Amino acid sequence: MQWNFQEIHQQAQTEAQAINSPQALEAFRLKYLGKKGLVAAVFASLGTADPSQKAAIGKGANDLRGLVEGLIAAKSAGISTAKVSGEQVDFSLPGTGEVLGHTHILTQTMQEIIAVFEQMGFVTIETPEIETEFNNFTGLNIPIDHPSRDAFDTFYLDAEDPSAQGRRLLLRSHTSPGQVRIMKQHKPPMAVIVPGRVYRPDAVDASHSFMFHQIEGLLVDEKVQFSELKGLLTEFCRRFFGPKVVMRFRPHFFPFTEPSAEVDINAEILGIQRKKWLEILGCGMVNPKVFEAVGYPKGKYKGFAFGMGVERMAMLKYGINDIRLFYENDARFLKQF
Amino acid sequence: MKLSLGWLKDYIDPKISTEELIERLTMAGLEVEGVEYIGKDIVLEIEITPNRPDCLYILGLAQEIGAITGQAVNPPKIKSAKTAQLKELIHIESKEDCSRYIGTLIKGVQIKDAPPEMKVRLASLGINAINNAVDITNFVLMETGQPLHAFDHDKIAGGKINVRRAKAGESIVTLDGIERKLDSSILVIADAQKPVAIAGIMGGRDSQITSSTKNILLESAHFDMGLIRRASRTLGLRSDSSYRFERNVSFAGVAIGSDRATELLLQLSGGQLSGRGEILSKAKSVAIKIKVKVSDIESLLGLKITPLKIKTWLSRLGFKVTAKAGVLTVTPPANRVDIGQDVDVIEEIARMIGFDHLPSKLPTIKAANIPVNKRPREIKDQIRRTLTAGGIDEIITHSMINTKALVKSNMADMPALRIFNPLNQDQELMRPVILPSFLQAVVTNFNRGQKDLRIFEIGKTYFKDKEKETLGILLTGRRTHDWRLSKKDSVEVLDLKGNLERIFKNISVSVIYGKTEMQVFDPGCAASIIVDGKQIGVLGKIDRKALNNWDIKNQDIYFAGLHLDEILSKPGKFVRYQAISEFPAIIRDVSLAVKKEVPYKKIEEICLQQGGDILRSVQFIEQYLGDKIQSGHKGLVFSCHYQSNIRTLREDEVNAAHERILQALTRDLGAVRR
């Protein structure tokens, strides 16, 4: 039997190149290295071979085995050699298991805002929704029968204020009474955030609700500057709306701060075209009359305060156009966030 | 407040474009909210904050714009009227309510149209022309900020007026033709017989100026701001005058307004000045002096500034300033009633510099902040994470409900905190329970075809003297959206319990479940949640009748409600590592039949009592309630796990422990092995 090893080697190499599956690889292995394979056949032919050829045939068989083993090793690296189960999984099917629930977008927005201030060293305190006139108004330099109350129309409760005879308890119309409570209880330095629900008897429409959420901030110490209020809120806006936000501080009036300002951001950053500026929050240096009302020594402390509406922030940031969506709790709304 | 730029230019030329004026006004705290074009005039709508009554008239705005632009203001020269004093013309009975009153008598007037220029000015601010006398009072109001009223003097019985509180039973028909009932909380201008005007708010119809009026009594006065505000609210009547009185008009303005209107009346109606009565029931207010330290300005604003610079800014605003050794003594103009303390002056300086031009830097926040217990907020967040991981969505509902919602939820007797001035009946109560809010959300979603709901809320419930942090969880509909995983079609009450268990485990609170009598639940499918011997909540299947009341059909609703305050204050358990056993565990399954009323908990307890040290845990596997068991009985399958930390257990000791357990179960509970 004559063996043309050169041709066999070429043939094996050509076949190996075409292998593209574990099955083909196995067939290739059997063809050359199997019990009835070519290598075995070559060795078997030694018995009948011309003695002068035996050495060459033996070497040829060994070379062929080496070549085929090398080809298989090289090929199998590229082809999965896993045992074939015959299973064909359609990976376009959805995975099994339950979907996650969603935290309400107002909770998320509140957590996001709070996180920014907590990272900067503020602590968070929640104070009650049911308040006294003193905390909601008088202590904040909002006198009874003063037009500055117009902005804070209030729900009163059918319950007498135990601390003021003949006066009713009320639902806080802003989170600022939290300032009064906290300052009455603690001495500076302090840097606090007060989040929570507030109430105003506003007729409900796309941008008004009789219940909404606010976040109040208060920082008090012996030396506090307006420039620090600006710096803090600028940093907040950058983190909340993105680094490209443009802001402006516009003088305004709040009875409990002096000077007072409103902060606007550029509408463009939120993709809003109909306006140039969007008002997002109110702020100012704590009015000395508030420090007086909470019993701090005259002239000892300075501070700043700010407040923002959570619904407004969420509506601006996420493009929600109707405040009623927040409280309607349609599952299709809840599951978007 | 509307600002006609045409009118403004009678007193000042700002010498900047309208766009720039709008920008500068806005950035000085007078936010321009709208621009209107009326004829050749441009009218700005400006939001005036309640502290700036000096900007509720054109001359005041001119002064402000003068300060902003640095341009000179040329107000009209107003001569003070020289005439006979008519002491008896005016009487102020209610001195506390009216600190200054000037009544001017002008005789022989001719009532006709005001000149066109004046009508155009008034029209630009949206004020209708009526006749020369009334138009003059309106014109002067808008020019100087002083509310005025012109009476037909011949209609004033007795020819004299008295400023007094109204008497019970009195009434007046105001200029708008409406009869208004008065009481002693309302200040009036009265003649010898009856009220002829509601002080500071609106005149009476009977004494108004008509085409036949010959003699005018012109009123210029200063009324108490709080009184006018209360009266205006009581009567539900507002006017340009009341709006300004509420915000405090300047004491000095009373004479200015009176003189200006008198001058115009004489000019435009051909009348004769016939005397004036003036009463000051309070001493003329002394110009205030405010001391402001330059160092305080610098430290509050965070910048360096020279006294000269400050003086320039403040002078433009009409302030008088003297500086000495770093302290400024400042006297604001009489119409700046908002300036009373040093920080008010500092705000003026900041406004003039421009808030945007003030420096900005991050604050130093001291580590010595006030102490705060973070645990309650952490627990609430943990509850949110646990529940959302279980596929439950958070909702936020209104804190207010109506009585009907309680009735529909079988809770008609539940006391609730009422709102004294509700917007409408739907919001008359502060919710004492959170369930009605959830049922409302169910109704909303069912109506929109969404019937598989899993929702929770962490919100307050309200009581006479406190509010409680409350958690509600509601499940209804298919157990899972993935049919491949579902053994049962719909959720059941133990799904709810599973969620509660995960919450309690997470925050290391141990709970027992007791009975509840709450009528809103199906009695066989409800339990109370007890922590430290105190009931903090309930869970169960909502009663069918209640669901019918809400029009919720064909679907069971499972609800849990609990007060969180008890558990939010828990410190949480400190966990110490326990060595993991290296030795094999031996697990023995048990299948029993017991009477239906025997709780599983009881079986578990007996196992743990009898099993000794080597019984590690008892794990529930299955409950059988079908008919292939003796009636009144149920089948239970569970497994006992035996293991030691120090050695491999021997077969015989496990057998012995297990036998003890089985005997005890048979002895104590009548259990039969299956």
Side-chain angles (χ1 to χ4, degrees):
Chain A
M1 180 92 195
Q2 288 289 321
W3 298 99
N4 184 346
F5 286 111
Q6 200 183 342
E7 200 175 293
I8 292 170
H9 280 209
Q10 262 175 15
Q11 172 84 16
Q13 273 163 344
T14 313
E15 284 173 21
Q17 261 174 22
I19 292 169
N20 60 2
S21 70
Q23 290 90 333
L25 187 67
E26 180 64 8
F28 178 74
R29 188 185 69 80
L30 287 173
K31 177 175 175 184
Y32 290 97
L33 304 181
K35 273 186 189 163
K36 294 176 180 170
L38 191 59
V39 172
V42 174
F43 277 120
S45 72
L46 277 173
T48 57
D50 184 313
S52 65
Q53 296 291 311
K54 276 187 182 176
I57 292 173
K59 184 179 179 298
N62 280 325
D63 286 353
L64 178 62
R65 181 160 62 197
L67 173 80
V68 171
E69 278 171 356
L71 287 170
I72 289 174
K75 222 47 207 182
S76 67
I79 290 167
S80 165
T81 54
K83 284 260 158 58
V84 177
S85 68
E87 189 179 356
Q88 289 290 336
V89 174
D90 176 0
F91 279 94
S92 67
L93 285 176
T96 53
E98 208 36 74
V99 288
L100 286 179
H102 302 74
T103 311
H104 196 283
I105 187 60
L106 286 178
T107 304
Q108 288 185 41
T109 307
M110 234 177 317
Q111 286 172 339
E112 197 181 345
I113 295 169
I114 289 171
V116 172
F117 291 108
E118 284 189 341
Q119 282 157 12
M120 294 197 270
F122 280 74
V123 292
T124 306
I125 298 183
E126 292 176 42
T127 64
E129 295 169 22
I130 297 175
E131 268 295 3
T132 62
E133 271 194 327
F134 181 84
N135 290 344
N136 198 67
F137 290 125
T138 324
L140 291 165
N141 188 36
I142 311 173
I144 295 173
D145 294 323
H146 192 275
S148 52
R149 273 210 184 182
D150 284 351
F152 304 100
D153 258 356
T154 306
F155 284 116
Y156 283 86
L157 294 169
D158 220 357
E160 189 172 306
D161 178 352
S163 64
Q165 218 192 353
R167 306 303 300 189
R168 292 176 184 284
L169 289 171
L170 50 80
L171 293 175
R172 64 178 174 193
S173 50
H174 49 168
T175 40
S176 304
Q179 292 185 27
V180 179
R181 277 186 182 266
I182 292 163
M183 285 195 280
K184 277 202 287 195
Q185 218 181 337
H186 300 279
K187 294 275 160 277
M190 60 174 71
V192 278
I193 292 292
V194 187
R197 290 186 184 195
V198 301
Y199 303 86
R200 291 182 197 170
D202 281 340
V204 175
D205 62 26
S207 48
H208 293 90
S209 172
F210 55 88
M211 177 192 101
F212 56 102
H213 296 73
Q214 278 190 338
I215 290 180
E216 186 85 4
L218 174 72
L219 184 147
V220 184
D221 204 342
E222 288 184 8
K223 284 182 182 144
V224 179
Q225 300 181 344
F226 188 79
S227 55
E228 294 172 299
L229 171 61
K230 279 187 71 176
L232 180 81
L233 293 177
T234 304
E235 185 58 25
F236 164 73
C237 284
R238 283 184 188 146
R239 294 198 197 176
F240 189 79
F241 291 110
K244 286 186 182 151
V245 70
V246 181
M247 300 166 68
R248 65 176 194 185
F249 286 77
R250 191 162 40 72
H252 198 70
F253 169 72
F254 301 107
F256 35 95
T257 50
E258 188 79 24
S260 304
E262 277 188 337
V263 177
D264 297 339
I265 58 165
N266 58 327
E268 193 191 357
I269 192 161
L270 299 167
I272 294 169
Q273 259 112 48
R274 73 197 142 79
K275 284 177 116 174
K276 196 167 170 216
W277 294 100
L278 299 164
E279 175 210 322
I280 53 156
L281 56 83
C283 62
M285 303 304 289
V286 177
N287 194 318
K289 289 175 183 166
V290 177
F291 289 143
E292 209 175 299
V294 299
Y296 283 178
K298 198 171 164 52
K300 183 161 186 199
Y301 297 113
K302 304 253 184 293
F304 61 66
F306 52 88
M308 63 189 97
V310 181
E311 279 79 354
R312 182 164 175 80
M313 299 300 263
M315 288 170 87
L316 289 175
K317 185 162 177 172
Y318 301 102
I320 297 163
N321 56 9
D322 192 326
I323 196 168
R324 289 169 289 202
L325 287 165
F326 291 119
Y327 322 108
E328 223 172 44
N329 299 303
D330 187 312
R332 293 165 298 183
F333 175 80
L334 301 174
K335 289 181 190 302
Q336 284 186 32
F337 302 100
Chain B
M1 169 74 194
K2 287 184 191 312
L3 170 62
S4 148
L5 297 186
W7 195 340
L8 179 74
K9 282 184 180 143
D10 292 348
Y11 318 120
I12 181 175
D13 180 358
K15 295 197 172 142
I16 49 176
S17 70
T18 304
E19 288 72 45
E20 197 177 347
L21 181 63
I22 289 170
E23 171 77 12
R24 303 267 289 265
L25 279 169
T26 299
M27 295 312 285
L30 300 167
E31 192 182 4
V32 178
E33 295 185 312
V35 184
E36 249 184 300
Y37 298 87
I38 298 177
K40 283 184 194 158
D41 201 359
I42 298 171
V43 179
L44 307 184
E45 180 67 49
I46 306 178
E47 186 204 344
I48 307 293
T49 52
N51 61 325
R52 294 300 303 271
D54 62 296
C55 289
L56 293 174
Y57 51 94
I58 312 288
L59 274 174
L61 285 167
Q63 183 177 39
E64 184 75 11
I65 290 166
I68 294 169
T69 60
Q71 299 302 322
V73 185
N74 303 301
K77 300 252 181 308
I78 302 168
K79 282 178 290 192
S80 76
K82 291 202 168 57
T83 179
Q85 278 290 320
L86 298 174
K87 280 222 156 124
E88 65 286 2
L89 191 62
I90 314 296
H91 178 66
I92 301 179
E93 184 182 309
S94 199
K95 293 188 164 47
E96 284 301 302
D97 302 333
C98 175
S99 54
R100 189 174 192 185
Y101 197 111
I102 299 175
T104 308
L105 200 55
I106 297 161
K107 290 197 165 168
V109 298
Q110 193 192 345
I111 300 302
K112 54 185 180 186
D113 275 5
E117 315 86 73
M118 185 176 278
K119 287 193 196 170
V120 167
R121 289 285 178 249
L122 290 176
S124 69
L125 304 193
I127 299 170
N128 292 330
I130 295 171
N131 57 47
N132 53 356
V134 173
D135 292 356
I136 286 167
T137 60
N138 285 332
F139 181 86
V140 175
L141 167 65
M142 288 303 169
E143 186 186 51
T144 69
Q146 175 60 41
L148 300 161
H149 184 66
F151 294 101
D152 184 335
H153 190 241
D154 298 321
K155 305 275 174 62
I156 305 284
K160 294 181 251 180
I161 57 103
N162 181 15
V163 184
R164 63 163 167 86
R165 293 294 184 100
K167 295 170 191 153
E170 279 186 326
S171 66
I172 184 173
V173 178
T174 40
L175 285 172
D176 51 13
I178 296 170
E179 181 172 359
R180 317 247 172 204
K181 296 208 182 323
L182 306 172
D183 62 52
S184 64
S185 71
I186 295 163
L187 187 71
V188 296
I189 315 301
D191 65 8
Q193 293 162 357
K194 60 179 196 317
V196 291
I198 302 172
I201 302 176
M202 195 175 275
R205 189 180 60 186
D206 295 349
S207 58
Q208 71 178 320
I209 305 295
T210 63
S211 53
S212 54
T213 298
K214 294 282 172 266
N215 304 312
I216 288 175
L217 173 61
L218 177 73
E219 166 194 294
S220 181
H222 186 273
F223 300 114
D224 180 74
M225 57 191 287
L227 180 86
I228 300 299
R229 180 178 163 84
R230 282 192 299 274
S232 163
R233 296 212 145 192
T234 307
L235 294 165
L237 179 61
R238 297 182 74 196
S239 63
D240 283 339
S241 295
S242 71
Y243 182 70
R244 284 162 180 78
F245 276 122
E246 268 186 40
R247 282 160 173 71
N248 203 2
V249 304
S250 131
F251 195 82
V254 177
I256 296 167
S258 178
D259 287 339
R260 176 70 165 155
T262 302
E263 188 178 80
L264 290 172
L265 273 170
L266 296 178
Q267 230 175 66
L268 302 176
S269 74
Q272 292 294 319
L273 184 53
S274 310
R276 171 180 271 187
E278 172 168 12
I279 293 185
L280 285 169
S281 47
K282 259 189 224 157
K284 238 182 212 168
S285 54
V286 194
I288 55 165
K289 286 193 162 80
I290 302 165
K291 294 218 181 300
V292 192
K293 286 190 210 153
V294 176
S295 60
D296 281 348
I297 301 171
E298 292 182 333
S299 72
L300 197 75
L301 300 182
L303 47 66
K304 285 271 164 217
I305 190 163
T306 63
L308 188 69
K309 192 100 184 156
I310 298 168
K311 245 175 128 167
T312 313
W313 289 124
L314 291 178
S315 313
R316 279 200 199 171
L317 284 160
F319 288 62
K320 292 197 172 63
V321 186
T322 56
K324 198 177 164 189
V327 179
L328 304 171
T329 306
V330 177
T331 299
N335 63 349
R336 289 302 302 272
V337 290
D338 60 315
I339 308 290
Q341 46 178 355
D342 60 350
V343 287
D344 300 332
V345 177
I346 298 176
E347 180 176 59
E348 291 306 291
I349 297 161
R351 276 197 321 121
M352 288 300 116
I353 296 169
F355 283 13
D356 271 353
H357 295 111
L358 294 172
S360 169
K361 66 169 190 188
L362 280 174
T364 317
I365 295 175
K366 299 231 170 98
N369 207 334
I370 55 176
V372 172
N373 178 11
K374 292 183 176 166
R375 183 85 180 139
R377 287 180 48 76
E378 278 169 7
I379 290 181
K380 282 192 275 182
D381 281 346
Q382 214 161 40
I383 291 173
R384 285 193 181 96
R385 283 196 298 274
T386 306
L387 291 176
T388 51
I392 308 180
D393 294 322
E394 186 184 19
I395 61 171
I396 292 181
T397 60
H398 289 306
S399 316
M400 293 149 175
I401 58 172
N402 58 19
T403 311
K404 241 172 28 197
L406 283 181
V407 176
K408 286 199 289 186
S409 310
N410 300 356
M411 297 176 186
D413 300 336
M414 182 151 300
L417 188 53
R418 300 194 82 82
I419 292 168
F420 177 70
N421 56 333
L423 263 183
N424 57 51
Q425 275 198 339
D426 282 344
Q427 302 139 15
E428 60 192 339
L429 303 178
M430 296 307 285
R431 63 182 178 198
V433 280
I434 207 165
L435 174 65
S437 307
F438 275 79
L439 293 177
Q440 185 55 55
V442 168
V443 170
T444 302
N445 278 287
F446 276 24
N447 287 345
R448 297 174 187 185
Q450 288 139 187
K451 305 221 164 184
D452 300 318
L453 291 178
R454 301 180 207 198
I455 48 181
F456 77 94
E457 178 173 21
I458 299 175
K460 300 267 178 76
T461 46
Y462 304 83
F463 304 88
K464 198 93 200 144
D465 53 350
K466 57 179 172 288
E467 51 204 71
K468 292 187 178 176
E469 199 72 77
T470 305
L471 169 66
I473 311 174
L474 182 146
L475 308 179
T476 185
R478 282 182 295 168
R479 169 173 275 165
T480 166
H481 298 274
D482 192 335
W483 59 267
R484 293 167 292 185
L485 300 178
S486 81
K487 282 189 186 158
K488 280 196 178 177
D489 286 345
S490 7
V491 290
E492 55 173 37
V493 75
L494 290 180
D495 290 321
L496 205 49
K497 190 186 173 214
N499 279 295
L500 291 174
E501 280 171 346
R502 285 191 282 280
I503 290 172
F504 293 134
K505 186 149 194 291
N506 236 330
I507 56 180
S508 303
V509 172
S510 53
V511 177
I512 56 174
Y513 294 86
K515 287 197 167 12
T516 175
E517 308 279 294
M518 267 185 86
Q519 290 183 12
V520 70
F521 292 117
D522 182 335
C525 189
S528 60
I529 302 165
I530 299 163
V531 172
D532 295 340
K534 199 178 157 196
Q535 178 176 332
I536 64 159
V538 286
L539 79 161
K541 179 157 107 180
I542 302 291
D543 171 57
R544 181 44 52 198
K545 190 175 139 257
L547 292 184
N548 287 341
N549 293 339
W550 284 89
D551 216 10
I552 296 170
K553 303 234 168 77
N554 308 326
Q555 209 165 304
D556 289 333
I557 305 278
Y558 299 93
F559 175 78
L562 47 155
H563 292 143
L564 293 178
D565 295 307
E566 302 285 328
I567 57 175
L568 292 180
S569 54
K570 294 233 172 230
K573 197 164 69 186
F574 178 76
V575 178
R576 184 167 286 282
Y577 167 71
Q578 295 197 325
I580 296 162
S581 176
E582 296 168 13
F583 303 97
I586 296 173
I587 299 170
R588 294 279 161 84
D589 286 352
V590 182
S591 178
L592 292 176
V594 288
K595 289 214 175 70
K596 270 192 175 152
E597 56 271 20
V598 175
Y600 169 71
K601 186 92 188 158
K602 189 75 203 159
I603 290 167
E604 194 184 79
E605 275 168 19
I606 289 174
C607 293
L608 291 170
Q609 272 164 25
Q610 299 294 331
D613 293 346
I614 59 172
L615 179 66
R616 272 296 155 83
S617 67
V618 180
Q619 283 175 17
F620 173 78
I621 297 173
E622 202 174 20
Q623 174 175 257
Y624 176 72
L625 295 171
D627 49 13
K628 290 178 186 154
I629 199 165
Q630 192 186 344
S631 84
H633 284 62
K634 61 183 172 185
L636 282 172
V637 183
F638 56 91
S639 58
C640 296
H641 293 231
Y642 298 94
Q643 194 173 32
S644 162
N645 267 9
I646 48 174
R647 62 192 169 82
T648 301
L649 294 179
R650 294 188 318 274
E651 188 78 16
D652 60 330
E653 61 184 332
V654 172
N655 287 344
H658 202 63
E659 199 48 43
R660 272 201 311 277
I661 289 173
L662 295 173
Q663 277 173 13
L665 291 173
T666 307
R667 187 180 63 233
D668 298 348
L669 304 175
V672 181
R673 296 184 68 171
R674 295 176 75 214

